[in-house]
Amino acid sequence: MNYEEVQITGVVEEVTFQNDSNGFTVLDISVDNDYLTAVGVMPGVNAGETVNLTGTYTTHPSFGRQFKVSAFSRCMPETSEQIYKYLASGVIRGIGPKKAMAIIEKFGSDTLDILENDPERLSSIKGISEEQAKNIGEEFKRQYAMRTVMLGLEKYGFSPSECIRIFKKLGIHAVEKIEENPYYLCSLGLGISFERAESIESKLEKKPLPDFRISEGILHVMRYNSANRGHTCIPRDKLLKPSADLLEVTQDEIDIAIDKLVSTAQLKACEIDGKEFVFLPSAYLAEKKIAERIGIVAGFPPPGAPQLADWIDYIEQQNNIKYETQQRLAIATAAKKGLLVLTGGPGTGKTTTIKGIINIFQRQNLDIALAAPTGRAAKRMSEVTGMEAKTIHRLLEVEWDEDDRPVFRRDASNPLECNALILDELSMIDIHLFASLLEALPLGCRLILVGDSDQLPPVGAGNVLQDLILSDMLPVVCLSQVFRQALESKIITNAHKIVNGETPDLKNDGKDFFHMERPSSFMTSQTVVELCCERLPKAYKWDAFSDIQVICPSKKGETGTQNLNKLLQNALNPAEKGKSEIIVAGKVFRVGDKIMQIKNNYNIEWESPTEKGTGIFNGDIGILTAIDTKTSLVTVNFDGREAIIPGEYLSELELAYAVTVHKSQGSEFKAVIIPAINIVPNLAYRNLLYTAVTRAKDLLVTVGSAQMIDAMTQNDRKSKRYSALSHFLKVDI
């Protein structure tokens, strides 16, 4: 429901809740002798202040009428009564209700002027020493400075929560620093984009030096290519034109600016095979660290195991299995060298091989840790091995710094307590997370890296699995034989056809792979909804929320995630009287919705029946179980972990009835539906289709155009990713 925004002015009577980190506040305000609850981002507001609020009147089902604030401004309290409420609220350290009353009785309406300009006079009041008077004056000035900074920043369009973060970073001179160089904001980790900095510059009376804009524009191009294209580095000559086009300057000016950025360590340059590459320092350090740590692992092979062949024979007898040649080689390599990259497609026996490696390690009395990049991948790893597997973040005991960046308790000075680590879904892991994991490996720890090299590369920067294989510096075993029982699955046989460039068999003569031809995007989307809501739940007794997943190549279009999520939400979880919902950036979320977290968030706390923890990560899927519209708090159950998500993080949630192929990586679902029609050319390629198909465990249904599926299969285009890990491995090992 939409409400018209209005403005109100009143005096803050009581602050009932305030989050210091983001400024979210719940307070009671008196407006024309009427008392009202106001909720929103109002950092630093205290009792006794007069505030001007912009927002809408709403009615909360439990808390009644309230005012939802979209913007606010404030005035210092003026009357003795207002000043007393302000001081008695505890806003100034060292002043409580009793001292506040004594100060008001002594100085009356002049109190704030005394606090700012003559605080030593407070020592004339019994119970306040000269030192305390000085500290009270400094605290008041600090509060006043924050208020002044926020007023100065708001004119440039910063939200209250952004003002808090900028003030914490830049202090009392924040406004002056930004007016001197607005592009400085881009490097503070506050999420301020280059375009936003340009917008701030346009509002300045005195323009900053052009070098500031050029330097930050180049860094912007580097960050964009890292975040959106996965590059860890860029050939210097390929950085010139896009930077010059963005900034509308010459390539010579860009070339000179790159030299300055390198000389000031804002960029790192490195020659690879006779060509100069440019890195962001964090990417350079991550790839170098990976190469160095892999070199250390390779340099400390485990002691010999003379009975190894007998052990493998015994495992075969005990489990009534027969390892094929490459599986046996992988198990032996893991035991002998302590370092292995194991790759292979579906049905080639990776799981059986991993179990064999675990069995050998157990016979060697090793402490084994299992890990995967996502919660779902870790859960699946636990199910197939019978051992606990953790997410990498949980394994490394993630915490966070004041900028919400991950900090891991496990590192070189506090290594993991294991001497064998098996890591699954390596294709999903970016360079930064992998570097952190390797740093925490204890000396002599075995390292087994498992992944499917034909899957999509990670969403983040780098191409770790491919680079490890291409370097030819590590033991690599590729499982290629598809086992007989796996050949009975058309999901598996068609996955291998796709990865080999062969047209998949779309005849509906199997048990687990079906194609439904549809002539248009509209009919395709309608069929997808029908399959999710009626046909598959009725035929297989599957739950539409937990067992069935729609996986789309694209976000956009009639068969993209955005449209299908709306259709599926209306069909599976329609609006009903009494069912709470909330609108975030035009998206409707309601209780009962299937939700996905789309960004790593290390601040969100969760609780399960057996433990508590922090961190909800990109790709985690859950069910929205409660909405508190008064505080904009949303409760989501992520596979048994219940998380309460504050309003400022709701933009990190999306409906998950339909997800993109990239977001489905590392997950496995009983039934997968893939709409395949009118896919834009840059998304119609082989390993995108292959990745989607291999997400299905028991049933796969493609809907749309067989011709489109064939076109995707034939297109072996892979986006070029610039990275240097393979080069560094050759140098450091």
Side-chain angles (χ1 to χ4, degrees):
M1 186 178 294
N2 293 318
Y3 300 91
E4 184 179 353
E5 284 198 335
V6 297
Q7 291 184 333
I8 61 174
T9 300
V11 178
V12 178
E13 297 294 331
E14 182 182 5
V15 177
T16 58
F17 173 80
Q18 189 164 78
N19 185 322
D20 291 335
S21 65
N22 57 46
F24 182 80
T25 304
V26 180
L27 55 80
D28 292 328
I29 182 174
S30 60
V31 182
D32 299 329
N33 297 319
D34 184 23
Y35 284 88
L36 180 69
T37 297
V39 299
V41 178
M42 295 174 280
V45 170
N46 290 280
E49 293 188 71
T50 298
V51 291
N52 303 307
L53 306 179
T54 301
T56 56
Y57 287 101
T58 62
T59 301
H60 190 277
S62 301
F63 302 102
R65 183 168 174 260
Q66 60 182 216
F67 192 78
K68 193 168 185 178
V69 178
S70 60
F72 88 108
S73 61
R74 60 217 286 190
C75 307
M76 290 298 286
E78 297 177 351
T79 68
S80 294
E81 182 183 359
Q82 290 172 356
I83 295 172
Y84 170 73
K85 286 182 179 179
Y86 174 70
L87 295 179
S89 69
V91 62
I92 307 297
R93 280 181 302 200
I95 300 180
K98 188 175 180 180
K99 284 184 180 177
M101 180 58 72
I103 293 170
I104 294 299
E105 288 176 346
K106 176 81 172 178
F107 300 113
S109 59
D110 294 330
T111 294
L112 297 186
D113 182 63
I114 298 295
L115 289 173
E116 182 180 3
N117 300 308
D118 206 6
E120 62 271 13
R121 290 178 61 185
L122 295 174
S123 62
S124 64
I125 298 172
K126 186 178 180 180
I128 300 180
S129 66
E130 291 185 5
E131 182 68 21
Q132 287 174 323
K134 178 183 176 183
N135 292 338
I136 289 170
E138 290 177 352
E139 176 66 12
F140 179 78
K141 287 179 180 178
R142 190 189 72 82
Q143 291 280 347
Y144 187 78
M146 180 177 177
R147 189 182 307 266
T148 302
V149 167
M150 293 187 69
L151 288 172
L153 293 174
E154 284 172 359
K155 67 184 179 183
Y156 294 115
F158 292 106
S159 69
S161 58
E162 287 175 329
C163 291
I164 290 179
R165 297 175 68 199
I166 292 171
F167 178 77
K168 287 181 177 179
K169 283 284 187 181
L170 301 181
I172 61 175
H173 300 296
V175 177
E176 295 95 310
K177 290 178 180 178
I178 289 170
E179 288 177 342
E180 179 186 359
N181 177 16
Y183 298 98
Y184 182 51
L185 287 165
C186 302
S187 61
L188 296 179
L190 300 176
I192 306 297
S193 68
F194 177 76
E195 292 81 7
R196 182 98 175 269
E198 283 189 313
S199 174
I200 296 168
E201 181 189 3
S202 69
K203 299 174 184 176
L204 298 176
E205 293 182 9
K206 183 182 178 182
K207 299 302 179 185
L209 295 174
D211 285 359
F212 292 148
R213 178 174 177 271
I214 293 174
S215 294
E216 191 54 48
I218 295 168
L219 293 172
H220 168 73
V221 172
M222 290 293 297
R223 293 190 193 108
Y224 176 86
N225 277 280
S226 174
N228 296 282
R229 296 179 179 172
H231 300 314
T232 67
C233 56
I234 300 176
R236 180 169 178 148
D237 59 352
K238 291 187 179 295
L239 181 58
L240 300 178
K241 187 177 187 305
S243 300
D245 290 346
L246 171 71
L247 298 166
E248 297 180 333
V249 298
T250 67
Q251 293 189 29
D252 285 343
E253 289 175 282
I254 298 297
D255 211 23
I256 293 169
I258 291 173
D259 285 336
K260 290 181 179 178
L261 287 167
V262 171
S263 68
T264 56
Q266 294 178 77
L267 288 177
K268 178 72 179 178
C270 179
E271 185 174 303
I272 300 174
D273 297 330
K275 192 169 189 176
E276 186 177 12
F277 283 76
V278 181
F279 301 72
L280 291 169
S282 60
Y284 177 83
L285 290 173
E287 291 198 306
K288 284 290 289 183
K289 187 187 291 184
I290 291 170
E292 290 166 0
R293 298 295 297 183
I294 290 287
I296 291 172
V297 175
F300 285 86
Q307 67 275 59
L308 179 60
D310 293 336
W311 283 351
I312 297 175
D313 291 341
Y314 182 76
I315 294 169
E316 288 181 325
Q317 294 170 8
Q318 285 292 104
N319 295 279
N320 194 27
I321 58 175
K322 182 66 178 176
Y323 295 121
E324 60 94 19
T325 303
Q326 291 300 101
Q327 287 181 304
R328 195 175 182 96
L329 173 63
I331 297 170
T333 302
K336 291 177 180 177
K337 297 192 175 182
L339 177 62
L340 171 69
V341 176
L342 177 65
T343 185
T348 57
K350 288 200 302 293
T351 297
T352 302
T353 306
I354 292 170
K355 287 181 178 180
I357 293 171
I358 290 173
N359 199 315
I360 293 296
F361 284 170
Q362 288 172 332
R363 290 174 178 276
Q364 294 177 313
N365 296 315
L366 300 179
D367 292 323
I368 307 166
L370 307 182
T374 68
R376 284 177 170 259
K379 183 179 179 181
R380 191 173 74 247
M381 196 179 189
S382 296
E383 291 169 349
V384 299
T385 62
M387 296 176 60
E388 182 187 17
K390 298 180 179 180
T391 63
I392 298 172
H393 290 86
R394 186 176 164 216
L395 182 73
L396 297 180
E397 300 176 19
V398 67
E399 296 176 345
W400 57 91
D401 62 17
E402 61 182 11
D403 295 320
D404 293 339
R405 291 177 300 199
V407 177
F408 299 111
R409 290 188 64 240
R410 295 292 182 176
D411 55 20
S413 61
N414 181 31
L416 295 168
E417 296 174 359
C418 65
N419 41 30
L421 173 64
I422 301 176
L423 179 63
D424 200 9
E425 297 287 357
L426 183 63
S427 64
M428 294 182 62
I429 302 172
D430 65 42
I431 54 167
H432 300 290
L433 185 56
F434 192 53
S436 296
L437 179 65
L438 294 182
E439 184 182 5
L441 281 187
L443 197 63
C445 183
R446 278 79 160 169
L447 179 62
I448 310 304
L449 304 169
V450 185
D452 185 344
S453 59
D454 291 312
Q455 300 261 1
L456 290 171
V459 174
N463 205 356
V464 172
L465 177 56
Q466 288 284 1
D467 283 348
L468 293 177
I469 294 171
L470 291 174
S471 72
D472 287 329
M473 302 303 293
L474 285 76
V476 176
V477 175
C478 179
L479 304 178
S480 56
Q481 180 179 320
V482 181
F483 285 85
R484 186 175 59 188
Q485 59 270 34
L487 290 171
E488 297 174 3
S489 165
K490 284 190 72 173
I491 295 174
I492 291 176
T493 55
N494 274 337
H496 285 276
K497 282 178 177 290
I498 290 167
V499 85
N500 291 325
E502 303 171 18
T503 302
D505 179 4
L506 300 184
K507 295 191 299 291
N508 295 327
D509 55 0
K511 296 180 180 179
D512 64 354
F513 192 117
F514 299 93
H515 175 71
M516 303 179 73
E517 187 74 14
R518 294 294 183 268
S520 68
S521 295
F522 173 77
M523 292 186 69
T524 296
S525 63
Q526 295 303 307
T527 301
V528 168
V529 173
E530 182 185 347
L531 285 167
C532 287
C533 300
E534 300 172 16
R535 296 179 65 167
L536 295 186
K538 183 178 179 180
Y540 296 92
K541 309 302 180 187
W542 283 336
D543 182 79
F545 289 81
S546 59
D547 297 330
I548 303 169
Q549 184 62 57
V550 178
I551 299 179
C552 306
S554 175
K555 290 183 178 180
K556 299 179 180 179
E558 282 192 271
T559 58
T561 57
Q562 293 173 352
N563 183 55
L564 282 172
N565 269 320
K566 290 178 183 177
L567 296 177
L568 289 164
Q569 181 190 47
N570 290 335
L572 290 168
N573 189 33
E576 295 175 2
K577 186 176 181 180
K579 184 184 289 186
S580 296
E581 61 180 45
I582 190 170
I583 299 175
V584 181
K587 296 181 291 188
V588 177
F589 296 122
R590 62 178 63 105
V591 170
D593 274 335
K594 186 176 182 179
I595 296 293
M596 172 180 278
Q597 178 77 14
I598 60 170
K599 181 181 179 182
N600 288 346
N601 190 315
Y602 307 95
N603 291 331
I604 297 175
E605 298 179 355
W606 55 262
E607 185 173 350
S608 74
T610 57
E611 61 180 329
K612 296 181 179 180
T614 56
I616 300 296
F617 304 112
N618 187 359
D620 285 350
I621 293 177
I623 299 296
L624 198 160
T625 58
I627 298 173
D628 185 335
T629 54
K630 177 178 180 178
T631 59
S632 296
L633 294 174
V634 164
T635 304
V636 181
N637 188 306
F638 291 99
D639 285 332
R641 296 173 300 147
E642 189 172 82
I644 298 177
I645 302 176
E648 69 268 24
Y649 296 142
L650 296 184
S651 61
E652 298 175 358
L653 297 178
E654 282 186 355
L655 294 174
Y657 301 99
V659 301
T660 62
V661 180
H662 285 88
K663 293 295 184 185
S664 74
Q665 283 180 270
S667 297
E668 187 178 69
F669 309 94
K670 283 186 178 180
V672 167
I673 303 169
I674 303 174
I677 191 169
N678 296 330
I679 300 170
V680 293
N682 66 323
L683 292 173
Y685 57 97
R686 183 183 301 170
N687 68 337
L688 189 90
L689 177 62
Y690 172 77
T691 302
V693 167
T694 53
R695 300 308 90 204
K697 181 181 179 183
D698 297 328
L699 180 70
L700 177 72
V701 183
T702 55
V703 185
S705 166
Q707 187 177 359
M708 183 81 257
I709 293 171
D710 182 56
M712 293 183 76
T713 302
Q714 301 310 317
N715 181 10
D716 194 26
R717 178 194 69 82
K718 292 183 180 178
S719 298
K720 171 65 177 177
R721 283 202 174 196
Y722 290 112
S723 62
L725 177 56
S726 180
H727 167 77
F728 291 148
L729 286 165
K730 293 174 183 177
V731 171
D732 292 331
I733 296 182

